[in-house]
Amino acid sequence: MSQLRSLSPSLFADRLADTDVSFEFFPPKSEAMETRLWAAIKTLEPLAPRFVSVTYGAGGSTRERTHNTVRRLIRETTLAPAAHLTCVDASREEIDTIVRDYRDSGVRHIVALRGDAPDPSKGYQPTPGGYANAAELVAGIRAIGDFEISVAAYPECHPESASLVADLDNLKRKVDAGATRAITQFFFEADQYFRYLDHVRSYGIDVEITPGILPVTNVKQLKRFADGCGASVPRWMADLFEGLDDLPQTRALVAATVAAEMCRRLQAGGVNSFHFYTLNRDELTYAICHMLGIRSSTHGTSQEKAG
């Protein structure tokens, strides 16, 4: 809290005014999920995010859901979509065709990722004839068009990285190949981000490193997410949610407070851009953005008006 208290009211107000956000969604798998997704998009759209990203999975049907969601964002909203793209289970020709299709559809931003192994027990194996890793994918995208290209960064190291140095080497390869921004995996201690940023800058990497923020209400689900991406869940966080399993409104209040407090600490250290992993829900993200000074261009959501 000392960093926050050291800020003068006028300085802190200036930082609030300068803050911008972006949101991540995942393509729906059912009609009910699609309804929820588009309700969330419509609630968050008036916050005027820099962009909204849509996740991507290997396989024909999952891949097509991503494409459909991105195209609908272009047709029906004022939002700038960023399409996720991975190297998994596709040749270079297939991926290049997808990139050209996005370009021709008006997409100007791609989130380039290596992707997870289809069978985790066998580890990641490059697709024969495909891009071997995210750095190669970035170079391939850059050769096709003048895209904004975001890549992943890991404040606690990617779980497959042998060391911090190896992890930073990989990030530098992606930036050298043409990435324009890195978005971090989620984390829950502001100091983790600042330590990581120091390492990144000392490595000569000068692109924007946008912190990824995951609002949490379900600690069991969070631990599953964290186990898969090498993130840690602090003991204090688990303690905060203890005994709240049957109190969803209280869990949401705690979750919004925790995430907003961490974002305020990041703001105090000079961060003015945040990327929210929404999980296709709008309430928590909207509340946190409000506490960060982000205001809707309308007079409130339909829920607020109905209330």
Side-chain angles (χ1 to χ4, degrees):
M1 292 295 292
S2 59
Q3 283 182 305
L4 293 179
R5 290 177 182 141
S6 67
L7 290 174
S8 69
S10 61
L11 177 59
F12 196 74
D14 288 343
R15 288 189 177 174
L16 286 175
D18 290 341
T19 299
D20 58 51
V21 294
S22 55
F23 306 128
E24 178 184 288
F25 302 105
F26 61 84
K29 297 181 180 179
S30 67
E31 186 173 337
M33 292 174 68
E34 183 162 4
T35 299
R36 187 175 76 180
L37 166 64
W38 287 97
I41 288 172
K42 288 302 182 182
T43 296
L44 295 173
E45 182 179 7
L47 298 182
R50 286 200 295 175
F51 62 89
V52 294
S53 67
V54 182
T55 64
Y56 180 91
S61 61
T62 304
R63 197 174 292 169
E64 193 57 34
R65 286 195 294 268
T66 299
H67 300 337
N68 291 339
T69 302
V70 170
R71 292 187 188 104
R72 187 173 172 185
L73 282 166
I74 292 172
R75 289 195 313 269
E76 300 181 17
T77 75
T78 60
L79 300 169
H84 285 220
L85 190 60
T86 76
C87 305
V88 176
D89 283 348
S91 68
R92 288 180 180 240
E93 290 75 15
E94 288 173 311
I95 291 175
D96 290 352
T97 297
I98 291 169
V99 173
R100 292 189 185 96
D101 180 61
Y102 278 141
R103 181 194 62 194
D104 296 343
S105 299
V107 175
R108 295 295 178 263
H109 186 174
I110 293 178
V111 180
L113 308 165
R114 187 201 70 179
D116 297 325
D119 183 351
S121 66
K122 297 180 179 178
Y124 180 81
Q125 298 293 327
T127 301
Y131 289 107
N133 51 51
E136 286 192 5
L137 177 58
V138 169
I141 295 168
R142 179 63 64 214
I144 292 171
D146 186 22
F147 290 94
E148 184 176 357
I149 303 175
S150 295
V151 295
Y154 297 85
E156 299 177 78
C157 283
H158 189 281
E160 296 176 26
S161 289
S163 65
L164 175 61
V165 170
D167 205 62
L168 292 170
D169 276 339
N170 188 47
L171 179 58
K172 192 169 191 312
R173 283 193 292 271
K174 292 187 284 189
V175 172
D176 289 346
T180 52
R181 172 193 295 104
I183 301 171
T184 76
Q185 185 55 262
F186 61 80
F187 56 92
F188 301 105
E189 303 275 8
D191 286 347
Q192 287 178 329
Y193 172 85
F194 290 123
R195 283 194 299 269
Y196 180 68
L197 188 62
D198 285 343
H199 290 308
V200 167
R201 298 301 184 228
S202 70
Y203 229 69
I205 301 169
D206 61 0
V207 299
E208 176 187 330
I209 309 294
T210 306
I213 308 299
L214 177 65
V216 175
T217 59
N218 186 322
V219 174
K220 289 183 180 178
Q221 182 188 54
L222 170 62
K223 288 180 177 177
R224 289 197 299 272
F225 290 162
D227 288 344
C229 65
S232 61
V233 180
R235 176 60 186 270
W236 60 260
M237 175 168 280
D239 291 344
L240 275 178
F241 287 95
E242 187 175 356
L244 300 181
D245 290 353
D246 298 322
L247 298 169
Q249 290 182 324
T250 304
R251 286 204 317 271
L253 288 170
V254 173
T257 302
V258 168
E261 172 66 10
M262 186 179 73
C263 289
R264 287 290 189 95
R265 289 175 180 270
L266 292 168
Q267 283 180 319
V271 177
N272 63 0
S273 185
F274 301 92
H275 184 72
F276 287 91
Y277 299 111
T278 70
L279 302 182
N280 288 11
R281 302 177 187 276
D282 56 270
E283 298 92 344
L284 275 179
T285 299
Y286 193 97
I288 297 162
C289 288
H290 186 87
M291 286 189 275
L292 295 178
I294 307 295
R295 294 293 181 265
S296 170
S297 59
T298 64
H299 295 294
T301 65
S302 58
Q303 289 177 327
E304 289 171 332
K305 291 176 183 177

